[in-house]
Amino acid sequence: RGYLDNITAIGPRTVGSPENEVLAVNYLLEQIRGIERESTDAHKISVDIQRPTGSFSIDFLGGFTSYYANITNVVVKLEPRSGAEHAVLSNCHFDSVPNTPGASDDAVSCAVMLEILSTLSKSSESLQHAVIFLFNGAEENILQASHGFITQHEWAKSVRAFINLEAAGVGGKELVFQTGPENPWLVQAYVVAAKHPFASVVAQEIFQSGIIPADTDFRIYRDFGNVPGIDLAFIENGYIYHTEYDTSDRILTDSIQRAGDNILAVLKYLATSEKLAKSFEYRHGNVVFFDILGLFVLAYPARVGTIMNYITAAVAFFYLTKKVLQPKPRAVHNLKKLFTAFSLTLTSWVCTLVAVLMVAVFVSIIGRALSWYTHFYVSVSLYGTAAAAKLILVHMLAKKFFYKNMNEQYLGDVFFDASLMIWSIALAVMTQMGLCSAFICTLWVAFPLLTKLMIHKEFSQKGGTIKFIVMYMLGMFVPYLYMLYLSWTVFEMFTPVMGRSGSEIPPDMVLAGFIVIFTMILSSYFINFIYLVKSTKTTLVTLTTVFVVTLILVCSGIFFPYSSDAANPKPKRVFLQHTSRRFHDVDGNVVKSDSGIWINGFDYNGISHITPHVPEINDTIRTPCEEQAPFCGLPWILPVHFMFRKNWYLPAPEILPRSPIQFKLLSKELMPRNSVRLSFEVSGPSHMSLYVRPHVGSVLSRWSLGDGVPVASLGGDYFVFYSRGLHAAPWRFWVELTVPEKHSDGIVSLAIAAHYFFGEDQKSRQLYALLERFPNWTFSSGWSCTYDLFVF
């Protein structure tokens, strides 16, 4: 707790700022030296300050290239006195995003690592392998410092596995959401060692699918270091992640203690494991892993899971086949009834999904999106009740008109079999696709099938008695309990993400879709009860009433999306950049210039809720796209243009930074095969963005960045993200283009944006004044920047 409070007391730690490069580094070194003085003779502690310069390309956010210069890593190696050939790496980052204290992301992890270093160093028990503690100073700049370490530091060669400590929320339990690649022994290490396990292969497959717009240092160690690892993150209260509310007082001591217990135990286990030294021998195969209510973790090889899944599906299909063939003369009739129930169940799901999504579209169109953001129960009352009511309605109508006068007991039986058939097919398909998450389908096939076999006699003789219902509920307890637990985890992660997912994705449709899916899953083995009971009219009327009342209240605007509650804030995120732009022609003349405050709302609502408070920010100042310029001539800090197509540009006076950018064309060389090499030098603030668009007929073939092969972003333009620490040399780079014989209008448009995230140039007087007028339920982050477009 003391370490955490002291790190966050430094303030925002943006890369390149004195707070990050000097104050935070000095504090870490001071604590490490104190730990070193108190360590026992069983250990040797080595400390190194690394300031790497490098470049790489990454396919995150549609693809871009990153360049860093003189950023900072504080690296500590704890090893036996006699030395160690192999090491396990523990990684945190002490930098933060601009204008935020970054307590959970990721100061708390660095505090935990300092405490673990202290604990291990005081132990009289010698470790078998080294433990490398990397306090990296440039993760928020899209994983730059980890790249600098794993590709350039001499100790990186000894790393055989790593643990990456991250955050997607503020406090709570830390979730293992990525492992590997392959290396099942690492998951087993966590299973054996972790005292308070919380892990899910479902989270891993969701995260790696790219649905969540985030990434971690795990990717760098995996892709550039070829090292396997474990990725952990705090996921609770993602509403205030990357905001001014991410303060140390919001992280409970219990949460810090829990994380420390887990990570210390796993690190000790790995540092004394024989498998670490021979990790290459244990690398093959994926693992199915999931925790049971946080009590323990079940983990088994994916190949074992595949066998179990296919056997379970085969048993279910055998059961269904046997049911259809009893008696044989009625096999065709039975098969027809089964497939009719199967089709009706799928039809009810499709109808439910379409109906609920139509409600979500309506809510979005009338400007009431995210009404549930602060009040999650609203989403359940609106979309959950609509989904349940629609499901019941479809089957009630089928029962009344299609299955008129049919035996209710028979219908209940056939619809149970239809649900079992759907889950069995899903199990076989997901297993064939290689998805480890198929274990969920196994639960939904195995337990219901066992339950059915146990209560078959009771049901066939007496029908839907109280005893039958109690036994049925008990048999379904395990899959339902696990599904509810998994649902809580998914909504805990995804609901806050909807507040920062951009202006293009309707969050109500996403959340409504999730709710419908979980409703279909949870109702799948209760559809048969619609046919067993005499009437579902009361249930349907109750659900419909709740839905209608909630919809009326949502339409009235009574549920405001955001909250400034000091104890539990859920702010709207807005970024404001006071920008001065200049557009040059091929002769170097300024053909256009303007200045304004460029505004991006981070969610689907845009600025509709802000306009009543700041009337001049309205839809009359929507930002036009400069078609001739890369990325519409806008000073994007990252290539997220496809996520934020709606933004606003409020005219404002020109800004004149005290430390303006210096951009020079150093040389223009003719190369073989109709190529031209342009060499540049740039001096400017710690963060700059370079945008490149070859003209028609020209092709950007090579450059001095990344691995030399240019990587285009979505839309075809090229994006380079630059950052530096202190005392970095001017940035020099070259681009090489294959050009046509005639190019009177130039061969390439190249723009550079300079971002002033700290210091005297960060905020203009006009930007300060505008930020003061924003309501207190917003997190408005502002900075100044300049944009210059050149044609060569």
Side-chain angles (χ1 to χ4, degrees):
R1 168 65 71 179
Y3 293 138
L4 172 61
D5 291 341
N6 290 333
I7 293 172
T8 53
I10 294 170
R13 301 170 302 284
T14 311
V15 172
S17 69
E19 289 81 4
N20 192 68
E21 309 302 324
V22 178
L23 298 180
V25 170
N26 287 347
Y27 175 78
L28 290 170
L29 290 175
E30 180 185 340
Q31 303 311 307
I32 292 163
R33 290 191 189 105
I35 291 169
E36 188 176 7
R37 285 192 296 269
E38 296 180 9
S39 65
T40 65
D41 293 337
H43 310 283
K44 180 171 68 174
I45 295 180
S46 307
V47 185
D48 184 53
I49 304 298
Q50 184 198 22
R51 290 199 165 88
T53 295
S55 181
F56 61 96
S57 295
I58 189 170
D59 61 3
F60 179 52
L61 296 176
F64 66 97
T65 299
S66 182
Y67 183 94
Y68 54 90
N70 222 42
I71 57 175
T72 305
N73 280 324
V74 178
V75 196
V76 185
K77 180 160 70 170
L78 178 74
E79 60 184 332
R81 277 288 168 191
S82 56
E85 182 182 352
H86 309 287
V88 57
L89 172 70
S90 182
N91 177 80
C92 73
H93 67 90
F94 58 85
D95 66 312
S96 69
V97 294
N99 303 317
T100 69
S104 187
D105 188 24
D106 193 32
V108 67
S109 297
C110 292
V112 167
M113 275 175 44
L114 283 171
E115 189 61 38
I116 290 172
L117 172 61
S118 175
T119 302
L120 289 176
S121 68
K122 290 176 183 175
S123 171
S124 57
E125 182 184 347
S126 179
L127 301 172
Q128 185 177 342
H129 309 294
V131 181
I132 296 174
F133 296 87
L134 173 58
F135 301 88
N136 95 50
E139 189 272 348
E140 297 296 358
N141 282 13
I142 314 301
L143 322 177
Q144 291 177 334
S146 55
H147 182 270
F149 172 79
I150 204 67
T151 60
Q152 299 178 41
H153 200 282
E154 59 178 337
W155 295 347
K157 300 181 185 71
S158 66
V159 174
R160 299 290 173 264
F162 68 89
I163 297 178
N164 182 51
L165 313 180
E166 255 298 347
V170 178
K173 298 193 291 186
E174 76 288 351
L175 171 69
V176 172
F177 66 100
Q178 287 192 98
T179 65
E182 298 193 331
N183 287 273
W185 67 278
L186 269 175
V187 177
Q188 291 297 339
Y190 179 83
V191 170
V192 172
K195 294 184 177 181
H196 316 285
F198 185 38
S200 174
V201 74
V202 178
Q204 173 171 292
E205 291 184 339
I206 290 174
F207 188 83
Q208 293 182 349
S209 71
I211 292 174
I212 299 177
D215 218 330
T216 75
D217 288 321
F218 181 97
R219 171 198 281 257
I220 299 297
Y221 298 131
R222 179 194 66 194
D223 295 352
F224 292 95
N226 196 28
V227 181
I230 299 173
D231 212 359
L232 302 99
F234 295 102
I235 64 167
E236 189 175 288
N237 199 5
Y239 299 98
I240 57 176
Y241 163 79
H242 280 188
T243 73
E244 63 188 342
Y245 301 106
D246 182 11
T247 52
S248 61
D249 60 294
R250 296 184 187 277
I251 304 175
L252 298 178
T253 302
D254 287 350
S255 181
I256 303 171
Q257 185 65 51
R258 172 199 160 88
D261 288 345
N262 279 343
I263 297 156
L264 173 61
V266 176
L267 278 176
K268 281 182 72 173
Y269 184 92
L270 292 174
T272 54
S273 170
E274 296 288 344
K275 291 183 177 180
L276 186 76
K278 302 175 183 177
S279 58
F280 60 90
E281 294 181 8
Y282 306 96
R283 67 179 302 173
H284 296 295
N286 291 315
V287 185
V288 179
F289 61 93
F290 53 96
D291 71 284
I292 306 298
L293 305 179
L295 302 174
F296 60 91
V297 173
L298 284 180
Y300 49 88
R303 61 182 181 276
V304 173
T306 299
I307 295 169
M308 288 168 51
N309 294 348
Y310 280 133
I311 289 174
T312 304
V315 170
F317 285 124
F318 175 77
Y319 162 82
L320 291 169
T321 303
K322 194 174 179 183
K323 281 286 295 289
V324 166
L325 295 175
Q326 286 182 344
K328 270 191 177 181
R330 291 181 60 83
V332 174
H333 173 79
N334 292 341
L335 187 64
K336 184 179 177 182
K337 291 298 180 185
L338 177 61
F339 273 99
T340 301
F342 176 85
S343 301
L344 256 172
T345 302
L346 291 181
T347 301
S348 70
W349 287 359
V350 172
C351 290
T352 300
L353 182 62
V354 171
V356 176
L357 288 181
M358 286 174 64
V359 175
V361 169
F362 170 74
V363 168
S364 301
I365 288 173
I366 65 171
R368 299 302 181 194
L370 291 168
S371 295
W372 38 264
Y373 191 65
T374 293
H375 320 277
F376 183 73
Y377 64 87
V378 173
S379 66
V380 179
S381 298
L382 183 65
Y383 301 124
T385 56
K390 185 66 177 180
L391 272 172
I392 291 172
L393 178 63
V394 172
H395 287 284
M396 196 173 81
L397 293 173
K399 180 182 177 181
K400 184 175 181 179
F401 297 107
F402 188 75
Y403 290 116
K404 195 174 183 180
N405 300 323
M406 282 194 70
N407 181 274
E408 292 172 347
Q409 191 171 324
Y410 174 77
L411 286 176
D413 199 43
V414 78
F415 272 92
F416 176 93
D417 292 344
S419 295
L420 182 65
M421 185 177 174
I422 290 170
W423 279 109
S424 301
I425 292 170
L427 173 60
V429 170
M430 288 181 70
T431 304
Q432 181 63 33
M433 292 170 64
L435 294 174
C436 293
S437 301
F439 79 88
I440 296 172
C441 298
T442 301
L443 295 177
W444 284 99
V445 173
F447 281 91
L449 182 56
L450 285 171
T451 302
K452 185 66 184 295
L453 293 174
M454 287 191 296
I455 64 175
H456 175 69
K457 189 175 180 180
E458 171 77 18
F459 181 68
S460 58
Q461 290 178 355
K462 301 178 182 177
T465 62
I466 296 295
K467 183 181 177 182
F468 161 77
I469 293 171
V470 171
M471 292 174 66
Y472 192 88
M473 295 293 190
L474 288 173
M476 296 292 184
F477 180 74
V478 171
Y480 272 88
L481 181 64
Y482 183 77
M483 203 65 212
L484 289 169
Y485 176 65
L486 182 64
S487 304
W488 168 81
T489 305
V490 169
F491 285 117
E492 181 86 21
M493 291 176 63
F494 266 96
T495 307
V497 170
M498 294 296 97
R500 57 179 190 271
S501 59
S503 64
E504 304 308 298
I505 301 172
D508 277 66
M509 292 188 68
V510 175
L511 193 72
F514 272 120
I515 289 174
V516 169
I517 290 168
F518 280 111
T519 303
M520 291 189 302
I521 292 171
L522 293 171
S523 67
S524 55
Y525 285 106
F526 280 96
I527 288 173
N528 51 325
F529 279 88
I530 299 173
Y531 296 89
L532 286 172
V533 300
K534 288 185 178 180
S535 174
T536 53
K537 191 177 292 184
T538 304
T539 305
L540 184 62
V541 169
T542 303
L543 289 169
T544 304
T545 303
V546 173
F547 163 70
V548 171
V549 170
T550 307
L551 181 61
I552 292 170
L553 292 174
V554 166
C555 293
S556 72
I558 196 171
F559 299 115
F560 191 68
Y562 315 105
S563 169
S564 59
D565 178 19
N568 190 23
K570 293 179 180 176
K572 176 181 178 62
R573 299 161 191 256
V574 188
F575 278 14
L576 300 92
Q577 297 169 236
H578 192 164
T579 305
S580 286
R581 302 190 299 175
R582 292 181 299 179
F583 298 82
H584 301 76
D585 63 16
V586 70
D587 299 318
N589 302 313
V590 176
V591 293
K592 180 182 177 180
S593 65
D594 61 31
S595 295
I597 296 175
W598 186 45
I599 303 162
N600 277 284
F602 261 50
D603 63 48
Y604 189 76
N605 284 329
I607 47 88
S608 59
H609 292 87
I610 294 172
T611 301
H613 300 267
V614 191
E616 61 266 39
I617 301 178
N618 55 62
D619 279 337
T620 64
I621 58 165
R622 282 279 293 273
T623 312
C625 177
E626 300 289 342
E627 299 289 350
Q628 83 286 0
F631 295 94
C632 282
L634 297 168
W636 297 102
I637 181 65
L638 287 169
V640 291
H641 53 293
F642 60 95
M643 294 173 61
F644 300 91
R645 298 190 188 280
K646 295 192 287 286
N647 38 64
W648 296 262
Y649 197 65
L650 180 67
E654 182 182 6
I655 56 168
L656 298 170
R658 296 171 182 83
S659 305
I661 192 171
Q662 301 292 327
F663 185 83
K664 300 176 186 174
L665 173 65
L666 297 179
S667 65
K668 179 179 179 181
E669 304 172 65
L670 294 176
M671 309 297 287
R673 296 186 295 277
N674 292 332
S675 292
V676 174
R677 176 178 291 183
L678 303 173
S679 298
F680 301 94
E681 180 180 282
V682 189
S683 297
S686 62
H687 292 71
M688 294 185 283
S689 307
L690 177 72
Y691 323 92
V692 183
R693 175 184 289 179
H695 289 189
V696 176
S698 299
V699 176
L700 182 60
S701 54
R702 294 197 306 149
W703 59 9
S704 59
L705 307 167
D707 61 1
V709 179
V711 173
S713 294
L714 287 178
D717 294 333
Y718 297 84
F719 188 102
V720 182
F721 177 82
Y722 168 91
S723 80
R724 63 163 176 81
L726 299 177
H727 314 302
W731 179 26
R732 290 192 173 192
F733 65 93
W734 54 261
V735 297
E736 196 169 298
L737 299 105
T738 304
V739 299
E741 290 184 11
K742 295 181 179 179
H743 46 266
S744 56
D745 293 330
I747 59 174
V748 63
S749 292
L750 190 148
I752 187 96
H755 302 273
Y756 298 88
F757 280 127
F758 54 86
E760 56 186 5
D761 288 326
Q762 181 185 4
K763 294 176 184 175
S764 65
R765 183 171 52 82
Q766 293 80 11
L767 182 56
Y768 263 120
L770 185 62
L771 289 170
E772 286 293 316
R773 295 172 60 196
F774 271 64
N776 60 1
W777 42 261
T778 62
F779 167 65
S780 46
S781 182
W783 68 93
S784 298
C785 63
T786 61
Y787 175 96
D788 288 278
L789 174 75
F790 303 92
V791 178
F792 300 97

